[in-house]
Amino acid sequence: MLYIYFMRIRFLLLLMVFSCAEEQNEDSEYIWDSVVVTASAYNSTVRQTSGNPNITAFGDSLKPGRKYIAVSRDLLRKGLKHNTPVIIEGFEGIYLVKDKMHRRWRNHIDIYMGEDIEAAKAWGRRKVCIDFGLPKEEFSHQ
């Protein structure tokens, strides 16, 4: 019961909160939420990953040129689950959550930059606003 109450309050807050995106599509299958996170970048290299550098913690294959991110586990609990669509301030297009980060990270995303290590270094680490889509059907069952 408390969870349902919390989700209804969150929904109302979502309606009142200004998002990073300039315009939200009313016909979208998602309700969009926003959060400011620390963003860094990562590559498909053995040095930067644990295990196979081309397989994510969710079991997906990483392919250079795809728009993927990894998220800290606290963001998973906020709704940024596997395959959640994400719009990142300063980037074109929609990214998908395809990986999760080590438990030590909080309020953090890692932007997948394929094998381009120089691009990842140039990005560095910075605070950005992200918008992420929460499926509307999660709210319609309450």
Side-chain angles (χ1 to χ4, degrees):
M1 184 68 179
L2 184 59
Y3 175 77
I4 293 171
Y5 177 74
F6 171 77
M7 292 307 290
R8 286 185 180 157
I9 296 287
R10 183 174 180 199
F11 176 73
L12 292 174
L13 289 173
L14 287 175
L15 294 175
M16 296 185 297
V17 174
F18 178 79
S19 78
C20 317
E22 292 178 15
E23 184 177 314
Q24 300 292 334
N25 183 349
E26 296 281 331
D27 297 328
S28 173
E29 61 190 80
Y30 298 101
I31 294 172
W32 291 86
D33 197 357
S34 299
V35 65
V36 174
V37 297
T38 300
S40 53
Y42 75 111
N43 307 101
S44 296
T45 65
V46 173
R47 187 172 170 270
Q48 293 184 31
T49 61
S50 59
N52 184 332
N54 296 310
I55 304 295
T56 72
F58 288 116
D60 294 306
S61 296
L62 292 173
K63 296 177 180 94
R66 298 285 174 95
K67 295 181 179 199
Y68 296 152
I69 64 170
V71 297
S72 57
R73 293 172 191 245
D74 61 321
L75 294 176
L76 289 170
R77 291 186 295 275
K78 289 183 178 181
L80 280 101
K81 299 173 183 163
H82 185 241
N83 286 327
T84 297
V86 178
I87 299 169
I88 305 170
E89 176 184 20
F91 284 84
E92 294 284 323
I94 295 179
Y95 286 71
L96 295 176
V97 174
K98 289 291 186 177
D99 206 354
K100 51 188 165 185
M101 301 171 71
H102 190 278
R103 285 175 168 71
R104 74 176 174 263
W105 296 107
R106 296 282 180 267
N107 201 46
H108 198 109
I109 67 168
D110 243 353
I111 304 165
Y112 177 62
M113 295 196 174
E115 297 171 353
D116 192 345
I117 295 171
E118 293 307 312
K121 285 181 182 178
W123 171 259
R125 181 178 303 179
R126 55 185 93 165
K127 295 269 188 195
V128 295
C129 185
I130 63 171
D131 290 327
F132 58 97
L134 301 169
K136 279 186 179 177
E137 69 258 6
E138 285 184 17
F139 293 93
S140 64
H141 296 298
Q142 298 172 11

